Amino acid sequence: MNSSIVLSITTFVYAFSAFWFIAAWVFGKTVFGRLATWTVILGVCGNTLGIVLRWLESYRLGFGHAPLSNLYESLVFFAWTIAVLYLIIEKKYQNQTIGVVAAPLAFLAMAYASLSPHISDKIQPLLPALKSNWLIAHVMTCFVGYAAFAIAFGLSGMYLLKQRQTDDGGSLLSHLPDTGVLDELTHQMVMFGFLFLTVGIITGAVWANSAWGRYWGWDPKETWSLITWFVYATLLHARLMRGWHGKRIAFLSIVGFLAVLFTYFGVNYLPGLHSYGAMGQ
Amino acid sequence: MAKENGASNLFDDIWDFFSSVKLTVVVLLSLAATSIIGTLVPQNEDPAMYYQAFGEVWYRVFHVLDIFDMYHSWWFQFLLLLLTANVTVCSIDRLSATWKIVFAKTPAFQADRFQRLPRKEEFFSDRSREKLESILRPVVAGSFSYSTVDKTDKNTFIFGEKGRWTRLGVYAVHLSVILLLLGGLIGSIFGFDGFVTIPEGESVGSVQVRNGNTAIPLGFEIRCDDFSVSFYDSGMPKEYRSSLTLLEGGRTVIKKDIIVNDPLRYKGINLFQSSYGVLSPQEITVNFESLESGMNYKKTIKLGEQTDIPEGLGKFVIRDYASRYSFRGQDVGEVFFGVLVQENQAPTEILIPLRFPGFDKMRKGRVAVSVQKYIPRYYTGLQVTKDPGVWVVYSGFILLIVGCFITFFMSHQSVCVQIAGSGNKSKITVSGYSNKNKLGMQQKVAHLSKKLQGVVKDAPALSQSEDPS
Ligand code: HEM
């Protein structure tokens, strides 16, 4: 049994859970809902096992390091965080509808990690610049933040759909939580994500300061995470203004998540080089 | 807002402008939007490159707007200044009101504020008001830092309150923003970011500033005693290590090995491992193979040092070294250039690629020369920085995290337990509010109500002390 196999199976488990969530939503049957939740739990177990195995494998290869060092590993961790966050929310708010968004997101992250030809799942040793505990803290906190923003994004999408619902509107929309709850949950998720993104940016800065002697260098990746931070800070303050609840907040949360995606994937396509580990040659 | 006329009017307008959250939203969005530019246009490149990439007209426009170093441009700095002014004025504006709430000696409770709440929890008990008060008061006092009792004709109110201080969390957040910007400013005025290369065995006393031509004296000397690099089996670099000695007035003050992520700090100046390179080697072990006798002779020589080859095969000197060389269009890697002088012959140039020991045999001379090993001489590249603002920034970091945590996940909560009734029939109403997370507060109130109900039930049965009437 190796981590790749376990993680591939996990991908399918998440796909199943997404299926059950959608079925539960469409048919309104609690059986499907319960199946969905158990499948997510199974997925989280597989995901955890995969991460732990990968960690052990890296030690067996002789250069052990936490499995958070490249795009593949971070996507796997991202999926794990989304699923775990979902389970916490379900427990706390006794509401399953968010699973309709969370489970497909977890599945997509895993599928993208395993299937994209640009992403290598090889376990590789670390470049000197990446050997830092700050870096582990940095990657973990950033991805917890991103996962919370992903769920907020899903909630905002639901909000916008629900908000357009007319009285005779589709029964699918009537299964969604009402807009007040969606708005409140979005806010909770954004606050949670903002705290973690803040810690993520800060640990990144501390790492940069210990590796390069400056805590901030306006590198594109850094800058994009700051842009993301600005967008969510805007959201938090916009809520304080009259008339800015609901729709506009949902819109800002979607813009924020697009910024997250760009920070994560888009930056690699920008001109110039990102100094991530590209030092000392 | 209605205002009285007068000179203070303009001041008030300016004050209001800078304390408004609308300005915050505008400034934050502007910062987000303009920051994108600097990620699309590479920053601080050679002007010639920009000229080529954008053409004359755009080059001029971008140049005027400082797009090529936009994060230090006047207009970006202006936005940051605006943010600072905004957050400062706004905080001052609100602080006095918050202060009064947080540091009130006796917090005021208004029963009707609780009665107006849309959601309340209720339960009944067949005990008297007085008895219930004596049972419930300790419970409320146990979970709230402040509690008090208020009585009217028909009602007894037990008020509880906690987390007043959490209202200061958001001020911590905003103060941290100011600290971050201030720390950045201190760093850019009093700090520097420099670079220096030091060959093994040599020392330097000043560094070159990045993006500038000035050399800054350090006040001490950095000597590089040794540099080494190690690799993984795959050829990926594993560790860069420089052994440094700092000297002041010729006296050693510190010796330390630095690696990436583990810098040397001295007198506010930080030395970071940043790059390295190979200089010409020092000691070279050369092998001479005589083709007549088949004998091999080894000699260790220095660059430029002439040596006699046994069997009267001539004199040899290593003239130069290159870390890379292309022979007939093919990369042969590291090479040495030697000169062989034999009697009655013109000196011969000899190429000695390190990777191909048999190379010189192809010359078909009387002797074949190869280099067996050499001790490479490296130079280390150090990033040398000084940033006296970094501790201000780090305090800002801590304040920002702590402040966000308090602001997001803690709140100022007040509850009211109302005991209404006369004789042995009492109605207990539990309600509460907090300054944020209303949903969570409702759950807390429900939880408290359950707890109180349990306590009432478990209390000793109506006993002697209870007055039966
Ligand atoms: C980068 C800059 C800023 C950051 C990171 C920041 C952060 C925050 C955070 C995290 C909150 C809490 C939001 C919530 O409870 O949901 C907050 C609240 C607030 N911020 Fe800011 N802020 C910034 C700039 C400003 C500025 C310039 C103003 C000026 C008007 C401002 C005014 C406020 C106000 C009035 C509140 C509400 C306080 C309350 O709930 O009593 N903020 N800010």
Side-chain angles (χ1 to χ4, degrees), chain A residues 187 191 194 229-230 233 236-237 239-240, chain B residues 18-21 24 28 82-83 86-88 90 94 170-171 173-174 177 400 404 407-408 436:
Chain A
H187 187 220
M191 288 196 301
F194 190 79
W229 195 73
F230 281 144
L236 290 175
H237 289 88
R239 274 179 74 91
L240 304 168
Chain B
F18 278 111
S19 66
S20 83
V21 180
T24 314
L28 285 175
L82 210 56
L83 186 73
N86 190 193
V87 80
T88 311
C90 175
R94 295 165 155 255
V170 74
Y171 294 90
V173 175
H174 290 151
V177 172
L400 179 55
C404 274
T407 313
F408 291 152
K436 54 185 67 119

